[in-house]
Amino acid sequence: MKTFGGPVLFLDRSDINTDEIILENYLKELPKQELKAHIFEDLKIDGFNAQTDVAGTKVIITKENFGCGTAREHTASALEASGLFTVVAPTFAKPFKQDMAASSIMAIEIDRKSLADMFRTFASKDTECKIVINDDGTAKVKLIAGSLSKSYPFQLDDAQKALLANDGWMGFAESKF
């Protein structure tokens, strides 16, 4: 079962491209389940270590234009294989956002003011994320670090509603057919 929430990995950089998410040669050489060991290994951010920082996380919060660069649908599959089912950013590269949806990964677009507050308030703390969908259709990203908790609204489209309601596209397909 997919959970769209969990421990958060803050990646404090814009324009993280598909090669920095996972190198293309791994996509050609390794089975999907073995991609996890190589996720973000080519990403350069001060203080970031892919070997220790990614383990156990389920949510990425990052800056603008996540997934830019060469369009390869298998890059999103590498995130899925790593258990990273939710990415929060102000913008995504359009082809990559579509690939994320095809891999049942939530691409949540959040306004820049909320993103700045997320980084300022939570980036230096062990943070959990919950995606909350209210009965009236409004949605929010809820971040929790110890006794500190804040929520940030975002727009939820119909495809994302179907993903959340059915734990991904497979659950959606099973519920319809």
Side-chain angles (χ1 to χ4, degrees):
M1 177 160 106
K2 289 191 177 180
T3 301
F4 299 99
V8 177
L9 171 63
F10 286 90
L11 297 176
D12 192 4
R13 209 187 92 200
S14 297
D15 302 315
I16 295 174
N17 68 55
T18 54
D19 280 330
E20 291 172 309
I21 296 169
I22 192 154
L23 291 169
E24 181 180 18
N25 62 313
Y26 293 130
L27 297 173
K28 294 176 183 175
E29 297 172 6
L30 296 175
K32 184 176 173 179
Q33 63 272 19
E34 292 181 27
L35 297 175
K36 182 177 183 173
H38 302 286
I39 198 87
F40 294 119
E41 76 178 17
D42 206 38
L43 180 61
K44 307 293 185 244
I45 298 176
D46 287 341
F48 173 72
N49 181 327
Q51 295 298 315
T52 58
D53 294 345
V54 177
T57 61
K58 301 291 181 196
V59 177
I60 297 168
I61 297 178
T62 190
K63 304 286 177 90
E64 290 84 14
N65 204 26
F66 185 77
C68 60
T70 306
R72 292 189 298 270
E73 67 266 4
H74 298 337
T75 302
S77 295
L79 289 175
E80 180 187 20
S82 298
L84 294 160
F85 300 125
T86 308
V87 181
V88 178
T91 60
F92 294 85
K94 187 174 181 177
F96 191 69
K97 185 176 180 183
Q98 293 168 337
D99 293 340
M100 290 172 66
S103 292
S104 299
I105 299 171
M106 291 288 295
I108 296 173
E109 291 184 336
I110 199 93
D111 65 88
R112 286 172 178 82
K113 182 179 176 185
S114 293
L115 183 79
D117 188 69
M118 288 175 173
F119 271 89
R120 184 176 46 256
T121 307
F122 293 98
S124 63
K125 299 172 176 63
D126 286 335
T127 304
E128 289 281 328
C129 174
K130 293 184 180 186
I131 306 304
V132 179
I133 311 302
N134 297 313
D135 290 339
D136 64 1
T138 59
K140 60 186 173 184
V141 174
K142 183 176 184 178
L143 298 180
I144 305 154
S147 62
L148 179 61
S149 173
K150 282 182 129 177
S151 295
Y152 305 89
F154 70 95
Q155 296 296 317
L156 189 67
D157 64 32
D158 289 338
Q160 290 171 319
K161 287 177 188 175
L163 278 175
L164 286 168
N166 297 286
D167 296 319
W169 289 121
M170 291 302 293
F172 177 74
E174 289 171 1
S175 74
K176 296 295 180 190
F177 304 104

